[in-house]
Amino acid sequence: MNVMHQASADPAAAKRNSWVLTVAQAFGGANAPIIVSLGGLVGQHLSADPDLVTLPVSLLSLGLALGTLPAAWVMRRFGRKPGYLLGSVIGMVSGLIAALGIVLSSFLVFCLGTCLAGFYSSYVQSYRFAATDNATAAQSHKAIARVMVGGLIAAIIGPQLVIWTRDALPGTPFAGSFLSQAVLAALAFPVLLMLRTSTPRAAHASESAPERPLVQILTSPRYLLAIATGVVSYGLMTFVMTASPIAMVGHGHSIDQAALGIQWHILAMYAPSFVTGRLMVRFGKERVAAVGLLLIGCSAAVALSGFDISHFWLSLVLLGIGWNFGFIGATAMVADCHTPAERSKVQGANDFLVFGTVACASFSAGSLLHSSGWETINWIVLPAAALVLVPLVWRAARPGDHSGRPALR
């Protein structure tokens, strides 16, 4: 594995690609905040069933989960660049269909648009893996974190576009915001044209080691731990974040205070990306991921300690930072578990499991909060985080396993 990474490394191309993908992430990553901000509000206007008003947002998560494996197949068959350009086209179409659903007052058409937006997100989410292509081991950690900085920009662009464009089309509130979603996907298209990638045939021809079956890779302890870290980090974050605004309002805090708490949470999710890559190079990805899970556990402890607005806000900030360390660390761990020829299927399987969990968390958080309360949500976090934290700490303590060298064990 070391030899293969050294043979395929092209630091100049890797650095260029990481910046291209960061810009593309800033455009494509704004897709989700727009839908999360407006999906429920549009659902209230279009759905005849009050129980279905949040369905458009949940379909975003479902589309993301369902799109990961087809996206991985497309990129494996045709290459990164054609796959990402196709994803950009899907993003344009999804925004246009969602806007059309609002114009036609069709809840079904609107839901189709948000589900397709999830398929677009399945391509956007893999930008973090693409940043490691042709990169050295140390360079790949920084490249992953750099692309995640694009998510911070996206988290700012998305809500601002909602404010600027929600009344752009007279008589059809919010349709303009979904047209702007399509425009952002269109802006990503020329950016992605600047990617420098090898063809799938050339990539496979450069490999000297046989490609392993996915089942064999899935049974690797190192890969299983990487998947578990990503699943728990992202799943718990989504689980708590989805329930937190409702819990804040339910405990007597205003909608504005709840919205501000979510804004701080999103900033905490992405702002640490400026240093996460350096921390992984210095201390190792397993150790950084372990700190992330520990912070997620601390966020639950803070939430359980009281119901003042300060408890909610501090909990959400810790949750965001914990997600950043845990998820980026898990991404780097996955990137070390495959050869270049295996990357599409290994990364696709990882994202299917991670975002499938995210979809389940999104669907279940509201009903569990309603039936069992905010405390139960946070009590669930503690054992789930500990379940992965223990083997992660054990792995990080083993000599050589956190050095940044690729490994297939």
Side-chain angles (χ1 to χ4, degrees):
M1 181 68 173
N2 287 333
V3 173
M4 286 184 285
H5 265 261
Q6 291 168 1
S8 61
D10 184 349
K15 184 175 182 180
R16 172 191 172 92
N17 284 348
S18 70
W19 284 112
V20 169
L21 291 165
T22 299
V23 176
Q25 177 78 31
F27 290 135
N31 176 58
I34 290 173
I35 295 174
V36 171
S37 298
L38 296 180
L41 294 174
V42 175
Q44 284 181 326
H45 289 285
L46 300 184
S47 176
D49 187 347
D51 292 336
L52 297 180
V53 296
T54 60
L55 181 62
V57 179
S58 296
L59 286 175
L60 171 71
S61 298
L62 181 62
L64 171 54
L66 294 177
T68 51
L69 294 182
W73 181 87
V74 168
M75 288 184 283
R76 178 176 172 80
R77 178 67 178 83
F78 301 103
R80 293 278 198 198
K81 183 188 288 188
Y84 289 152
L85 294 175
L86 173 62
S88 180
V89 172
I90 294 173
M92 294 182 235
V93 172
S94 70
L96 293 174
I97 290 177
L100 179 64
I102 296 173
V103 172
L104 298 178
S105 297
S106 171
F107 185 62
L108 180 62
V109 173
F110 180 69
C111 286
L112 175 61
T114 63
C115 187
L116 281 176
F119 277 80
Y120 174 39
S121 291
S122 68
Y123 288 91
V124 175
Q125 286 291 343
S126 73
Y127 291 169
R128 70 192 196 280
F129 284 123
T132 68
D133 296 349
N134 303 318
T136 62
Q139 188 182 31
S140 67
H141 301 340
K142 294 180 180 179
I144 292 170
R146 183 180 297 127
V147 171
M148 297 300 286
V149 170
L152 174 63
I153 301 172
I156 297 172
I157 291 176
Q160 287 302 312
L161 274 178
V162 168
I163 294 172
W164 295 336
T165 62
R166 60 188 177 188
D167 296 317
L169 298 180
T172 52
F174 306 127
S177 297
F178 288 93
L179 289 178
S180 71
Q181 174 194 340
V183 170
L184 287 175
L187 290 174
F189 194 93
V191 174
L192 292 166
L193 283 172
M194 293 188 286
L195 271 180
R196 292 178 179 174
T197 59
S198 59
T199 64
R201 185 182 301 273
H204 282 280
S206 67
E207 294 301 307
S208 59
E211 185 177 341
R212 297 170 297 165
L214 181 58
V215 173
Q216 180 183 345
I217 301 170
L218 282 170
T219 57
S220 163
R222 188 179 183 90
Y223 183 52
L224 287 175
L225 182 58
I227 289 177
T229 304
V231 164
V232 170
S233 298
Y234 217 132
L236 290 179
M237 185 279 295
T238 302
F239 187 56
V240 175
M241 182 188 68
T242 302
S244 60
I246 304 172
M248 278 188 272
V249 174
H251 283 89
H253 305 297
S254 69
I255 294 177
D256 288 345
Q257 287 175 317
L260 185 58
I262 294 298
Q263 287 180 341
W264 278 109
H265 168 69
I266 293 174
L267 288 173
M269 285 174 62
Y270 293 105
S273 300
F274 289 103
V275 299
T276 307
R278 293 185 179 89
L279 291 175
M280 287 194 295
V281 173
R282 175 67 179 84
F283 299 106
K285 49 197 170 293
E286 286 92 351
R287 289 175 179 171
V288 170
V291 171
L293 289 176
L294 184 62
L295 288 173
I296 290 173
C298 289
S299 76
V302 170
L304 289 167
S305 66
F307 303 113
D308 292 342
I309 194 63
S310 60
H311 291 102
F312 282 103
W313 285 358
L314 178 57
S315 174
L316 285 169
V317 168
L318 290 173
L319 182 68
I321 299 172
W323 172 85
N324 183 280
F325 287 177
F327 186 60
I328 293 181
T331 299
M333 291 165 65
V334 170
D336 280 355
C337 291
H338 58 77
T339 67
E342 296 166 345
R343 68 190 179 197
S344 293
K345 64 181 181 183
V346 170
Q347 295 167 5
N350 173 79
D351 279 1
F352 175 75
L353 293 170
V354 169
F355 295 113
T357 303
V358 168
C360 293
S362 176
F363 276 104
S364 64
S367 59
L368 185 62
L369 177 67
H370 178 73
S371 63
S372 303
W374 175 242
E375 297 94 328
T376 300
I377 294 283
N378 286 281
W379 277 118
I380 290 174
V381 169
L382 295 172
L387 190 64
V388 178
L389 181 60
V390 171
L392 195 58
V393 170
W394 177 80
R395 187 84 189 186
R398 294 179 62 185
D401 280 349
H402 49 79
S403 61
R405 295 191 301 271
L408 295 176
R409 297 188 302 277

